Amino acid sequence: MFRSGVRRMKVLVVGGGGREHALCWALSGSPLLTKLWCAPGNAGIFDVAECVPIGPEDIPALVAFAREKAIDLVVAGPEAPLTLGLADACAAAGLRCFGPSAAAARLEGSKSFTKEVADAAGVPTAAWARFEDPAAARAYIRAQGAPIVVKADGLAAGKGVVVAQSVAEAEAAIADIMEDRVHGAAGASVVIEECLVGQEVSFFALCDGGTALPMAAAQDHKRVGEGDTGPNTGGMGAYSPPPVFDDAMRDRVMAEIIRPTLAEMAKRGTPFRGVLFAGLMVTDAGPRLIEFNVRFGDPECQALMLRLRSDLLAALLAACDGELHDFDLRWDPRPSLVVVMAARGYPGTYAKGTAIRGLDAAAAVPGVQVFHAGTARREGEVVATGGRVLGIAATGGTLQAARDAAYAAVDAIDWPEGFCRRDIAHRAL
Ligand code: AMP
Ligand code: GLY
């Protein structure tokens, strides 16, 4: 199947969250795999890969390790190593890396860059303007009225976006982002956008620079509280596929958003290779692009990997080697769902080092896969080390059955310092 003819692959996954556990879990089932490493990994990844204590942003150390072990494929989980040039450093060292160059990763790193690319490619998106001057930004807000969306232009760990319901709220966001620099240098400029109304969907396409292959869609739950209330988080749960996203919508998104973007990036001399994550609003007028990310979503990836029937390793290699045009992916039509268990206090401050028990009982629930996000092993115990700690994922004949299985597994976990939302997939049930 591969022109490269490689049959035995050594793979290094970069990252240590739930997404990376799901990727390692899927890769570990590949008949092409000889050995899997993960840097830095976590207590769950430890079961399927050898964990190496290298941080995901230490590009020189990652490249040195990959060279030393003669790694055939480096897989970037999070965006930070990519925006820091992991793929470029791998290419310079003669290593294969799944993930875009730093130049192509600007699709996630800079909101105004994404808007420029979208406009040049004719991709439907919210009307927008970019400002470096707070007074000009305020004048624009007053002229447009509310609701209106204010975004720090740079990377702000997903926290630099204010969906303002009033002009006063939008102006306060300008003060926070541009004047008080609550997100640091990311607030040197802002993007102000029309507020889109509809259902938000995360859609993933595998790209090899020239060809894009649709993967699947998922719906994330970004707010910490039930009924989508409270502060934003990295994501408290997800399910796939979302009922609003049928095959016709997928084909539209491929034709109107993904393929034009890929063509525009190639035209600019910065072809996109890796997974293109389109954050979409499905509005009454059709799909609109909210943002791109240059990696799998977390926790969307966990839901997707449960449904992937094809060999993930073969797919990632095809993307790296420009061979997606004669590749296809098979998906389990049954729905999947993931419930994130987080440390009490998240996304604010929370305790670390608390013990988690009952993981084996949870994993024994039929249809369930337990993914670790922020865990470590300490004196024979699994302890929480992060905000988002576990992702309890399940498939089932129906979404309700998948959800029942996931919550049965949640209930088997003995972790008094943890919590989860009880209403994951409520929009679809
Ligand atoms: P972003 O970091 O661009 O994904 O924005 C974070 C969240 O803000 C998104 O997931 C949406 O829920 C919301 N959002 C961003 N842009 C818009 C928009 N133009 N209209 C409505 N909601 C938006
Ligand atoms: N769950 C949303 C993200 O990964 O950005």
Side-chain angles (χ1 to χ4, degrees):
M1 163 143 266
F2 303 108
R3 246 166 256 146
S4 46
V6 179
R7 306 301 306 177
R8 294 170 62 76
M9 308 292 299
K10 293 194 270 183
V11 179
L12 170 65
V13 172
V14 176
R19 164 184 48 213
E20 289 76 30
H21 190 183
L23 293 173
C24 285
W25 173 77
L27 289 169
S28 69
S30 170
L32 299 175
L33 185 79
T34 16
K35 171 127 189 166
L36 182 61
W37 285 269
C38 186
N42 63 38
I45 293 173
F46 179 86
D47 290 335
V48 288
E50 184 176 329
C51 295
V52 208
I54 304 174
E57 296 175 28
D58 190 348
I59 310 297
L62 291 169
V63 171
F65 179 83
R67 289 190 74 159
E68 180 199 318
K69 299 292 183 194
I71 297 286
D72 298 290
L73 176 67
V74 177
V75 180
E79 68 279 12
L82 295 166
T83 53
L84 291 170
L86 176 64
D88 310 81
C90 284
L95 296 161
R96 214 195 248 112
C97 178
F98 177 77
S101 65
R106 285 185 73 206
L107 282 178
E108 174 155 2
S110 164
K111 294 196 191 294
S112 58
F113 175 74
T114 301
K115 286 299 219 175
E116 281 163 23
V117 170
D119 285 355
V123 166
T125 168
W128 67 289
R130 177 176 179 273
F131 297 93
E132 288 174 5
D133 171 25
R138 287 193 175 88
Y140 181 79
I141 287 167
R142 281 185 221 119
Q144 297 294 315
I148 194 158
V149 181
V150 179
K151 304 183 175 186
D153 193 13
L155 269 182
K159 295 185 184 107
V161 176
V162 177
V163 181
Q165 298 303 326
S166 68
V167 167
E169 195 185 339
E171 290 197 43
I174 296 296
D176 288 346
I177 295 171
M178 302 192 84
E179 290 163 351
D180 299 340
R181 292 289 171 98
V182 294
H183 306 295
S189 58
V190 292
V191 167
I192 302 181
E193 286 183 15
E194 164 198 4
C195 188
L196 299 169
V197 178
Q199 284 226 36
E200 232 179 304
V201 169
S202 304
F203 177 71
F204 302 87
L206 213 51
C207 302
D208 69 4
T211 300
L213 199 63
M215 294 192 86
Q219 209 158 23
D220 184 13
H221 295 63
K222 290 195 171 137
R223 304 296 198 93
V224 74
E226 275 153 29
D228 299 315
T229 54
N232 260 321
T233 69
M236 293 300 292
Y239 62 100
S240 173
V244 292
F245 205 87
D246 56 13
D247 288 355
M249 183 59 72
R250 177 200 61 205
D251 293 346
R252 243 186 113 170
V253 169
M254 288 301 291
E256 295 175 19
I257 297 178
I258 304 293
R259 289 198 191 99
T261 301
L262 208 60
E264 176 65 23
M265 292 299 284
K267 195 175 119 193
R268 290 171 177 240
T270 53
F272 186 90
R273 291 185 197 88
V275 62
L276 190 57
F277 166 176
L280 305 170
M281 192 73 85
V282 177
T283 73
D284 290 343
R288 297 283 180 271
L289 176 71
I290 298 174
E291 61 159 1
F292 282 126
N293 296 301
V294 301
R295 50 167 176 85
F296 284 104
D298 188 344
E300 291 96 322
C301 183
Q302 291 84 311
L304 251 55
M305 289 305 124
L306 280 199
R307 292 188 55 226
L308 182 63
R309 284 283 156 271
S310 302
D311 180 358
L312 177 66
L313 180 48
L316 301 187
L317 287 169
C320 290
D321 294 348
E323 294 176 4
L324 284 180
H325 52 86
D326 50 24
F327 205 87
D328 82 293
L329 289 169
R330 284 175 302 111
W331 296 89
D332 190 335
R334 294 179 308 154
S336 65
L337 162 149
V338 55
V339 177
V340 170
M341 296 187 76
R344 279 190 201 283
Y346 174 80
T349 53
Y350 49 82
K352 287 189 183 179
T354 55
I356 303 166
R357 300 191 182 93
L359 287 163
D360 290 340
V365 176
V368 165
Q369 197 62 44
V370 175
F371 293 120
H372 290 225
T375 62
R377 248 165 239 266
R378 215 158 283 160
E379 288 155 16
E381 277 200 316
V382 172
V383 299
T385 57
R388 292 192 295 173
V389 172
L390 297 169
I392 312 300
T395 41
T398 61
L399 189 57
Q400 186 63 54
R403 172 151 116 157
D404 290 346
Y407 282 116
V410 165
D411 291 336
I413 288 176
D414 173 14
W415 180 36
E417 295 83 4
F419 76 98
C420 68
R421 276 181 62 167
R422 286 272 161 188
D423 64 346
I424 299 306
H426 69 89
R427 283 187 220 97
L429 288 169

